[in-house]
Amino acid sequence: MDADEIRDWRDCYDEVYDGELRATEERLHEELTDQQYITRDQLEDVVRWKLNGMPGRRGGNVERVRTVPDEFVRRVSEAALLVADPKIQLKTLQSIPGIGPATGTVILTFYDPENYGIGDRYILDEFLEKDGQMGVTDYSDILEALRDRNPGNFDLRTVEKAYYQRYRVENDVGDFGDL
């Protein structure tokens, strides 16, 4: 995609982006940037955002997050944000019950949308032509693909939104219930 196409697809994404989900993303970005860690309550919001359309999985993952103390979530997330290696960051975040690689990418993206994008099965298929769940080792390749496909110096979240939305439309899959 060229820069205009990225803007157009990003705008299509934003047109259908649920207002509550958008507000959650914006609020968490501000809070995480300020704090440099995530709290357990904030992490529950991330899980609700990511698994919005999957109430069974969402509820189960929120319950798993609740099994650990807030201080554990804060320290683990603070440690993850101290390093610049996405593999180490995701592996560290995965030590929190209820957090897998895809949800870990949401935390990183909400924290720093300039340098991270959300990874999921659609982005995995689009960039790496892999079918299935995204793994920790896939994320560096996804970020590299986002950087390589960024002709307009956009933040990576913008590029990811554009490719995600185009993939959804062209493949008639996913909706904001899949976030």
Coordinates of all heavy atoms in Angstrom, one line a residue, residues 128-169:
L128 N 2.9 -12.9 7.1 CA 3.8 -14.1 7.1 C 3.2 -15.3 6.4 O 3.8 -16.3 6.3 CB 4.1 -14.4 8.5 CG 4.7 -13.3 9.4 CD1 5.1 -13.8 10.8 CD2 6.0 -12.7 8.7
E129 N 2.0 -15.1 5.9 CA 1.2 -16.2 5.2 C 1.2 -17.4 6.0 O 1.4 -18.5 5.5 CB 1.8 -16.4 3.8 CG 1.7 -15.2 2.9 CD 2.3 -15.4 1.5 OE1 2.8 -16.5 1.2 OE2 2.2 -14.5 0.7
K130 N 0.9 -17.2 7.3 CA 0.8 -18.3 8.3 C -0.7 -18.4 8.8 O -1.2 -17.3 9.0 CB 1.7 -18.2 9.5 CG 3.1 -18.4 9.2 CD 3.9 -18.3 10.6 CE 5.3 -18.7 10.4 NZ 6.0 -18.6 11.7
D131 N -1.2 -19.6 8.9 CA -2.6 -19.7 9.4 C -2.5 -20.2 10.8 O -1.8 -21.1 11.1 CB -3.3 -20.7 8.5 CG -4.8 -20.8 8.8 OD1 -5.3 -19.8 9.4 OD2 -5.4 -21.9 8.6
G132 N -3.2 -19.6 11.7 CA -3.2 -20.0 13.1 C -2.9 -18.9 14.1 O -3.0 -17.7 13.7
Q133 N -2.6 -19.3 15.3 CA -2.4 -18.4 16.3 C -1.0 -17.8 16.2 O 0.0 -18.4 15.8 CB -2.5 -19.1 17.7 CG -3.9 -19.6 18.0 CD -4.9 -18.5 18.1 OE1 -4.6 -17.5 18.7 NE2 -6.1 -18.8 17.7
M134 N -0.9 -16.5 16.5 CA 0.4 -15.8 16.5 C 1.2 -16.3 17.7 O 0.7 -16.4 18.8 CB 0.2 -14.3 16.6 CG 1.5 -13.6 16.4 SD 1.4 -11.9 17.0 CE 1.8 -12.2 18.7
G135 N 2.5 -16.6 17.5 CA 3.4 -16.9 18.5 C 4.4 -15.8 18.8 O 4.6 -14.9 18.1
V136 N 5.1 -16.0 19.9 CA 6.1 -15.0 20.4 C 7.1 -14.7 19.3 O 7.5 -13.6 19.0 CB 6.8 -15.5 21.7 CG1 8.0 -14.6 22.0 CG2 5.8 -15.5 22.8
T137 N 7.6 -15.8 18.6 CA 8.6 -15.6 17.6 C 8.2 -14.9 16.3 O 9.0 -14.4 15.6 CB 9.3 -17.0 17.3 OG1 8.3 -17.9 16.8 CG2 10.0 -17.6 18.5
D138 N 6.9 -14.9 16.1 CA 6.3 -14.3 14.9 C 6.3 -12.7 15.1 O 6.3 -12.0 14.0 CB 4.9 -14.7 14.7 CG 4.7 -16.2 14.4 OD1 5.6 -16.7 13.6 OD2 3.8 -16.8 14.9
Y139 N 6.3 -12.2 16.3 CA 6.0 -10.8 16.5 C 7.1 -9.9 15.9 O 6.8 -8.9 15.3 CB 5.8 -10.5 17.9 CG 5.2 -9.1 18.1 CD1 4.1 -8.7 17.4 CD2 5.8 -8.2 19.1 CE1 3.5 -7.4 17.6 CE2 5.2 -7.0 19.3 CZ 4.1 -6.6 18.5 OH 3.6 -5.3 18.7
S140 N 8.4 -10.3 16.0 CA 9.5 -9.5 15.4 C 9.3 -9.4 13.9 O 9.5 -8.3 13.3 CB 10.8 -10.1 15.8 OG 11.0 -10.0 17.2
D141 N 8.9 -10.5 13.3 CA 8.7 -10.5 11.9 C 7.5 -9.6 11.5 O 7.6 -8.9 10.4 CB 8.5 -11.9 11.4 CG 9.7 -12.8 11.5 OD1 10.8 -12.3 11.6 OD2 9.5 -14.0 11.6
I142 N 6.5 -9.6 12.3 CA 5.3 -8.8 12.0 C 5.7 -7.3 12.1 O 5.4 -6.5 11.2 CB 4.2 -9.1 13.0 CG1 3.5 -10.4 12.6 CG2 3.1 -8.0 13.0 CD1 2.6 -11.0 13.7
L143 N 6.5 -7.0 13.1 CA 6.9 -5.6 13.3 C 7.8 -5.1 12.1 O 7.7 -4.0 11.6 CB 7.7 -5.4 14.6 CG 6.8 -5.5 15.9 CD1 7.6 -5.4 17.1 CD2 5.7 -4.5 15.9
E144 N 8.7 -6.0 11.7 CA 9.6 -5.7 10.6 C 8.7 -5.5 9.3 O 9.0 -4.6 8.5 CB 10.6 -6.9 10.3 CG 11.5 -6.6 9.2 CD 12.5 -7.7 9.0 OE1 12.8 -8.4 10.0 OE2 13.0 -7.9 7.9
A145 N 7.7 -6.3 9.1 CA 6.8 -6.2 7.9 C 6.1 -4.9 8.0 O 5.9 -4.2 7.0 CB 5.8 -7.4 7.9
L146 N 5.6 -4.5 9.2 CA 4.9 -3.2 9.3 C 5.9 -2.0 9.0 O 5.5 -1.1 8.3 CB 4.4 -3.0 10.8 CG 3.2 -3.9 11.1 CD1 2.9 -3.8 12.6 CD2 1.9 -3.4 10.3
R147 N 7.1 -2.1 9.5 CA 8.1 -1.1 9.2 C 8.4 -1.0 7.7 O 8.5 0.1 7.1 CB 9.4 -1.3 10.0 CG 9.2 -0.9 11.5 CD 10.6 -0.9 12.2 NE 11.1 -2.2 12.3 CZ 10.9 -3.1 13.4 NH1 10.1 -2.7 14.3 NH2 11.4 -4.3 13.4
D148 N 8.5 -2.2 7.1 CA 8.8 -2.3 5.6 C 7.7 -1.7 4.8 O 7.9 -1.3 3.6 CB 9.1 -3.7 5.2 CG 10.5 -4.2 5.7 OD1 11.3 -3.4 6.2 OD2 10.7 -5.4 5.7
R149 N 6.5 -1.8 5.3 CA 5.3 -1.4 4.5 C 4.8 0.0 5.0 O 3.6 0.2 5.0 CB 4.2 -2.5 4.6 CG 4.6 -3.7 3.9 CD 3.6 -4.9 4.2 NE 3.8 -6.0 3.5 CZ 4.6 -7.0 3.8 NH1 5.3 -7.0 4.9 NH2 4.8 -8.1 3.0
N150 N 5.7 0.8 5.4 CA 5.3 2.1 6.0 C 5.9 3.2 5.1 O 6.9 3.8 5.5 CB 5.8 2.2 7.4 CG 5.3 3.4 8.1 OD1 4.6 4.2 7.6 ND2 5.7 3.6 9.4
P151 N 5.2 3.5 4.0 CA 5.8 4.5 3.1 C 5.6 6.0 3.5 O 6.2 6.9 3.0 CB 5.0 4.3 1.8 CG 3.7 3.8 2.3 CD 4.0 3.0 3.5
G152 N 4.8 6.2 4.6 CA 4.5 7.6 5.0 C 5.0 8.0 6.3 O 4.5 8.9 6.9
N153 N 5.9 7.2 6.9 CA 6.4 7.5 8.3 C 5.3 7.5 9.3 O 5.3 8.4 10.2 CB 7.2 8.7 8.3 CG 8.7 8.4 8.3 OD1 9.1 7.3 8.4 ND2 9.5 9.5 8.1
F154 N 4.3 6.6 9.1 CA 3.2 6.5 10.1 C 3.7 5.8 11.3 O 4.7 5.1 11.3 CB 2.0 5.7 9.5 CG 1.4 6.4 8.3 CD1 1.7 5.9 7.0 CD2 0.6 7.4 8.4 CE1 1.1 6.4 5.9 CE2 0.0 8.0 7.3 CZ 0.2 7.5 6.0
D155 N 2.9 5.9 12.4 CA 3.2 5.1 13.5 C 2.8 3.7 13.1 O 1.9 3.5 12.3 CB 2.5 5.6 14.8 CG 1.0 5.6 14.7 OD1 0.4 4.5 14.7 OD2 0.5 6.7 14.7
L156 N 3.4 2.7 13.8 CA 3.1 1.3 13.4 C 1.6 0.9 13.6 O 1.1 0.1 12.9 CB 4.0 0.3 14.0 CG 5.5 0.4 13.6 CD1 6.3 -0.8 14.1 CD2 5.6 0.5 12.1
R157 N 1.0 1.5 14.6 CA -0.4 1.2 14.9 C -1.3 1.6 13.7 O -2.2 0.9 13.3 CB -0.8 1.9 16.2 CG -2.3 1.8 16.5 CD -2.8 0.3 16.8 NE -4.1 0.3 17.4 CZ -5.1 -0.4 17.0 NH1 -4.9 -1.3 16.0 NH2 -6.3 -0.4 17.5
T158 N -0.9 2.7 13.1 CA -1.7 3.2 11.9 C -1.5 2.2 10.8 O -2.5 1.9 10.1 CB -1.2 4.6 11.5 OG1 -1.6 5.5 12.6 CG2 -1.9 5.1 10.2
V159 N -0.3 1.8 10.5 CA 0.0 0.8 9.4 C -0.8 -0.5 9.7 O -1.4 -1.0 8.8 CB 1.5 0.6 9.2 CG1 1.7 -0.4 8.1 CG2 2.2 1.9 8.9
E160 N -0.7 -0.9 10.9 CA -1.4 -2.2 11.3 C -2.9 -2.1 11.1 O -3.5 -3.0 10.6 CB -1.0 -2.6 12.8 CG -1.8 -3.7 13.3 CD -2.8 -3.2 14.3 OE1 -2.5 -2.4 15.2 OE2 -4.0 -3.6 14.2
K161 N -3.5 -1.0 11.5 CA -4.9 -0.7 11.4 C -5.3 -0.9 9.9 O -6.3 -1.5 9.5 CB -5.3 0.6 11.8 CG -5.5 0.8 13.3 CD -5.9 2.3 13.6 CE -6.2 2.6 15.0 NZ -6.6 4.0 15.2
A162 N -4.5 -0.2 9.0 CA -4.8 -0.2 7.6 C -4.8 -1.7 7.0 O -5.7 -2.1 6.3 CB -3.8 0.7 6.9
Y163 N -3.7 -2.4 7.3 CA -3.6 -3.8 6.8 C -4.6 -4.7 7.4 O -5.2 -5.5 6.7 CB -2.2 -4.3 7.0 CG -1.2 -3.9 5.9 CD1 -0.5 -2.7 6.1 CD2 -1.2 -4.6 4.7 CE1 0.4 -2.3 5.1 CE2 -0.3 -4.1 3.7 CZ 0.4 -3.0 3.9 OH 1.3 -2.6 2.8
Y164 N -4.9 -4.5 8.7 CA -6.0 -5.3 9.4 C -7.3 -5.1 8.7 O -8.0 -6.0 8.3 CB -6.0 -4.9 10.8 CG -7.1 -5.6 11.6 CD1 -7.0 -6.9 12.1 CD2 -8.3 -5.0 11.8 CE1 -8.0 -7.6 12.8 CE2 -9.4 -5.6 12.5 CZ -9.2 -6.9 13.0 OH -10.2 -7.6 13.7
Q165 N -7.6 -3.8 8.5 CA -9.0 -3.5 7.9 C -9.1 -4.0 6.5 O -10.1 -4.5 6.1 CB -9.2 -2.0 7.9 CG -10.6 -1.5 7.4 CD -11.7 -2.0 8.3 OE1 -11.5 -2.4 9.4 NE2 -12.9 -2.0 7.8
R166 N -8.0 -3.8 5.7 CA -8.0 -4.3 4.3 C -8.2 -5.8 4.3 O -9.0 -6.4 3.5 CB -6.8 -3.9 3.5 CG -6.9 -4.3 2.0 CD -5.6 -3.9 1.3 NE -4.6 -4.9 1.6 CZ -3.4 -4.9 1.0 NH1 -3.1 -4.0 0.1 NH2 -2.5 -5.8 1.4
Y167 N -7.5 -6.5 5.2 CA -7.6 -7.9 5.2 C -9.0 -8.4 5.6 O -9.5 -9.3 5.0 CB -6.6 -8.5 6.3 CG -6.6 -10.0 6.3 CD1 -5.7 -10.7 5.6 CD2 -7.4 -10.7 7.2 CE1 -5.6 -12.1 5.6 CE2 -7.4 -12.1 7.2 CZ -6.5 -12.8 6.4 OH -6.5 -14.2 6.5
R168 N -9.6 -7.7 6.6 CA -10.9 -8.0 7.0 C -11.9 -7.9 5.8 O -12.7 -8.8 5.6 CB -11.4 -7.0 8.1 CG -10.9 -7.3 9.4 CD -11.5 -6.3 10.5 NE -12.9 -6.6 10.5 CZ -13.9 -5.7 10.1 NH1 -13.5 -4.5 9.7 NH2 -15.1 -6.0 10.2
V169 N -11.8 -6.8 5.1 CA -12.7 -6.5 4.0 C -12.5 -7.5 2.9 O -13.5 -8.2 2.3 CB -12.6 -5.1 3.5 CG1 -13.3 -4.9 2.2 CG2 -13.1 -4.1 4.6

